[in-house]
Amino acid sequence: MSTIDYSEKIPNNVDLANDRTLQRALEHWQPRFLEWWKELGPNDFANSDVYLRTAVGVDAQGWAHYGTVKMPDYRWGIFLADPIADRTIGFGDSYGQPVWQQVPGEFRSQFRRLIVTQGDTEPASVEQQHKLGHSCPSLYDLRNLFQINVEEGRHLWAMVYILHAYFGRDGREEAEELLARHSGDVDKPRILGTFNEPIEDWLSFFCFCYFTDRDGKFQLKSLAESSFDPLARTCRFMLTEEAHHMFVGETGLGRIVRRTLEVMKEIGSDDPEAIRRQGAVDLPLLQRYLNFWFSSSLDLFGSEVSSNAATTFANGIKGRPDETTQYQDHVCADSSFEIEVPDGKGGVMKDKSPMRNAMNEVLRDAYIRDCEIGLKRWNMQIKRGGYKFELKLPSSRFRRAIGAWANIPTDLDGRPIDREEHDRRIPGWLPSASDRGHVKSLMRRVVEPGKMAAWIAPPERGVNNLPVDYEYVRLA
Ligand code: BYC
């Protein structure tokens, strides 16, 4: 067990107290982080008391402390999961050799690129959610939003630690850049597409937590397999916090479905207009939001066939989620993977890629299966309510901006169609101006303890065994 001093300004288990170089780098960076948080974080709520979980260690039994904190005083700590004794490289050309405690020079730029890409998403998501606190559907939800925001802040710290501790001057420069790019900025946008999409309403927020945080789960699990042990251990611990973010997405969307079903029952109709008049979210509208966020998040896995993916796998830099338990062949030098590509004649054809080059697609497939779980649950709710409607994930070929299907018009089932038909049918597939207008009209803040906005059902339980009507945020 590594020791943790969580009485420090920066709680950590990386022996920060005895590392002057790292202290200097972090002390230089911290004021900039706080300035960024003030400007682009949920700073309108800086003086509110929020019931938050703070990571204080890596012991599965007691890794977090719950208490009331003002967000600027949150203690963003640096934690690595405990080392695994005699850990060896789990995949690629160096399979079976001891893992690395330093970055091998020849792989430095590949590692830096991945760490920067991972790090960039964390502050991006805080920026995207910057204004949401003003339209919260309940204090319970407001607290969950802030919990996610501070933890994404900590995940940024985690990547900055790796950059500062292992990449010298380049790492320090990259850490500054993580605070200089901004979500949606025309000149300096965030690196990955989805992280430049605005999140202006809570339906988008819950979809983001469900779909985009789930990409986080898969990418972090892949990096948790890395041969660079400090990175692997950092990502392993980040996954502990990530689970709550997906929980917020899944239960948020489930509560919306539940409320809609109640309204449908009350008014004896499934007519979208009638449901909207009751201030709820009709299911076809929800489906269009799912289509939007799912297709955007699929792009986060990169191209189906990628030489970057092949290189990072071969070099032991980035593996597959649960590499040890889920796969037999950890070298993948001779195997292949079947992918679907456009046939150039308006159709779909099967093609074979060397397995290593298809790693992005392997991950995307696993991700899609994981996304299905929530839909099954919500559809069960709808069926139990006595309705026929079924929520569905669109085809992975629909509305892609990256990879083989980028900019190829298809319908929701992934059938290539001509551009004119596509553009005509898009309002039925993606949130329309009227959908967005309706959702916007629902975004009225509800801050009386235990009360919920009319478009969402209460959660089944509160946070950390507290009641749902606990005052999770005391607004200043
Ligand atoms: N948008 O060979 P390609 C999370 C770029 S979420 C824009 O196809 P590759 C979180 C790519 O960067 C998890 N650009 O793919 C969730 C490359 O550019 P460069 C985030 C894109 O390289 C919620 C070029 O296209 N973590 O933690 O195999 C809240 C060719 O790339 C996109 C990671 O992603 C896109 N969607 O892999 C908070 C892990 N997709 O370098 C947090 C780190 C690709 O040629 N990143 N490009 O200029 C990676 O593992 C890989 O970089 C990718 C793509 C999976 C993103």
Side-chain angles (χ1 to χ4, degrees):
M1 265 291 278
S2 33
T3 50
I4 294 147
D5 181 353
Y6 56 84
S7 60
E8 292 219 24
K9 187 155 81 175
I10 305 172
N12 70 90
N13 66 348
V14 295
D15 198 21
L16 187 55
N18 292 314
D19 188 337
R20 281 298 301 148
T21 317
L22 184 59
Q23 274 174 30
R24 266 200 303 275
L26 286 171
E27 277 166 13
H28 180 75
W29 187 80
Q30 189 189 38
R32 289 164 196 237
F33 168 80
L34 287 173
E35 269 167 41
W36 165 82
W37 179 268
K38 242 190 207 163
E39 194 191 338
L40 291 168
N43 205 54
D44 296 340
F45 298 85
N47 294 319
S48 300
D49 292 310
V50 190
Y51 184 74
L52 290 176
R53 156 177 102 171
T54 304
V56 293
V58 293
D59 179 355
Q61 302 311 313
W63 66 274
H65 166 81
Y66 283 84
T68 299
V69 194
K70 291 195 192 345
M71 281 185 281
D73 301 331
Y74 191 79
R75 290 184 307 146
W76 284 281
I78 298 170
F79 299 106
L80 273 62
D82 282 329
I84 297 168
D86 304 321
R87 181 172 172 246
T88 53
I89 295 176
F91 61 93
D93 291 338
S94 304
Y95 180 72
Q97 292 176 21
V99 290
W100 315 311
Q101 297 308 325
Q102 291 293 333
V103 182
E106 66 271 35
F107 303 148
R108 201 177 153 86
S109 68
Q110 290 166 25
F111 266 116
R112 198 181 56 208
R113 177 175 155 274
L114 289 185
I115 293 162
V116 165
T117 307
Q118 177 63 49
D120 191 70
T121 63
E122 315 290 0
S125 67
V126 175
E127 293 169 353
Q128 286 170 292
Q129 297 158 19
H130 178 48
K131 291 280 176 206
L132 278 184
H134 293 293
S135 57
C136 62
S138 73
L139 283 183
Y140 165 88
D141 290 292
L142 185 62
R143 176 266 168 203
N144 281 343
L145 167 71
F146 292 157
Q147 182 69 61
I148 290 174
N149 289 165
V150 292
E151 285 177 348
E152 300 302 9
R154 203 199 70 73
H155 290 182
L156 168 62
W157 272 84
M159 290 301 111
V160 165
Y161 159 70
I162 296 281
L163 289 170
H164 279 175
Y166 296 94
F167 290 86
R169 190 197 174 124
D170 308 354
R172 290 195 294 278
E173 283 169 10
E174 292 285 12
E176 304 267 315
E177 285 295 301
L178 289 173
L179 298 174
R181 285 182 292 271
H182 298 311
S183 178
D185 191 303
V186 188
D187 299 319
K188 273 192 152 236
R190 290 297 177 183
I191 297 171
L192 299 174
T194 312
F195 294 90
N196 291 302
E197 294 289 357
I199 303 181
E200 285 164 353
D201 60 72
W202 281 73
L203 181 51
S204 297
F205 170 66
F206 289 131
C207 289
F208 179 90
C209 292
Y210 187 76
F211 290 115
T212 312
D213 276 286
R214 194 172 307 274
D215 170 51
K217 167 182 161 183
F218 279 78
Q219 299 297 345
L220 288 173
K221 273 182 165 245
S222 307
L223 293 174
E225 300 291 333
S226 180
S227 315
F228 175 35
D229 205 40
L231 175 65
R233 291 169 57 202
T234 300
C235 292
R236 216 160 7 108
F237 185 66
M238 287 161 77
L239 281 159
T240 324
E241 289 156 320
E242 202 64 40
H244 173 255
H245 307 181
M246 283 178 295
F247 164 87
V248 168
E250 180 171 342
T251 54
L253 293 172
R255 287 162 55 209
I256 294 173
V257 171
R258 183 140 54 91
R259 178 63 194 140
T260 301
L261 294 172
E262 282 168 15
V263 168
M264 281 158 67
K265 195 147 270 172
E266 276 159 31
I267 61 174
S269 166
D270 60 2
D271 172 32
E273 284 310 319
I275 294 165
R276 289 185 188 197
R277 279 196 295 277
Q278 301 300 312
V281 174
D282 51 288
L283 297 178
L285 182 154
L286 174 60
Q287 176 68 64
R288 290 190 283 276
Y289 272 71
L290 300 183
N291 294 344
F292 179 91
W293 286 101
F294 175 64
S295 53
S296 178
S297 301
L298 287 179
D299 277 337
L300 294 172
F301 291 85
S303 306
E304 287 78 357
V305 178
S306 161
S307 56
N308 288 336
T311 314
T312 54
F313 187 85
N315 293 343
I317 294 172
K318 182 183 173 193
R320 291 167 292 187
D322 306 308
E323 180 69 49
T324 322
T325 52
Q326 288 297 308
Y327 301 94
Q328 305 281 321
D329 174 8
H330 302 296
V331 179
C332 300
D334 311 312
S335 47
S336 59
F337 190 78
E338 197 172 78
I339 49 167
E340 288 176 338
V341 292
D343 66 2
K345 294 176 279 184
V348 185
M349 70 175 201
K350 303 227 186 268
D351 199 5
K352 265 194 179 162
S353 159
M355 180 62 89
R356 287 179 173 186
N357 294 67
M359 286 305 173
N360 289 343
E361 193 60 8
V362 170
L363 248 66
R364 186 163 26 236
D365 276 0
Y367 165 82
I368 294 171
R369 287 195 295 278
D370 208 48
C371 287
E372 294 280 5
I373 296 170
L375 275 95
K376 277 202 188 108
R377 273 195 202 129
W378 307 325
N379 283 332
M380 191 68 83
Q381 268 177 270
I382 298 171
K383 200 169 163 198
R384 268 198 244 110
Y387 296 94
K388 280 229 161 67
F389 194 90
E390 197 183 330
L391 295 164
K392 280 195 195 123
L393 293 179
S395 159
S396 61
R397 302 194 287 269
F398 174 70
R399 203 181 82 94
R400 294 292 304 283
I402 299 279
W405 292 94
N407 303 318
I408 296 196
T410 77
D411 64 13
L412 289 179
D413 295 325
R415 269 189 297 269
I417 53 176
D418 64 49
R419 171 77 53 197
E420 185 275 325
E421 181 187 354
H422 174 266
D423 294 353
R424 188 165 32 82
R425 295 177 69 188
I426 266 298
W429 294 337
L430 295 177
S432 63
S434 126
D435 292 342
R436 292 201 186 274
H438 175 61
V439 171
K440 193 171 175 198
S441 77
L442 302 180
M443 297 297 119
R444 300 272 169 268
R445 83 175 195 167
V446 176
V447 290
E448 202 180 311
K451 280 264 151 51
M452 299 288 140
W455 53 270
I456 190 162
E460 274 168 24
R461 60 187 73 84
V463 180
N464 195 29
N465 295 324
L466 291 172
V468 171
D469 63 2
Y470 182 77
E471 194 175 2
Y472 289 103
V473 182
R474 272 197 300 278
L475 294 165

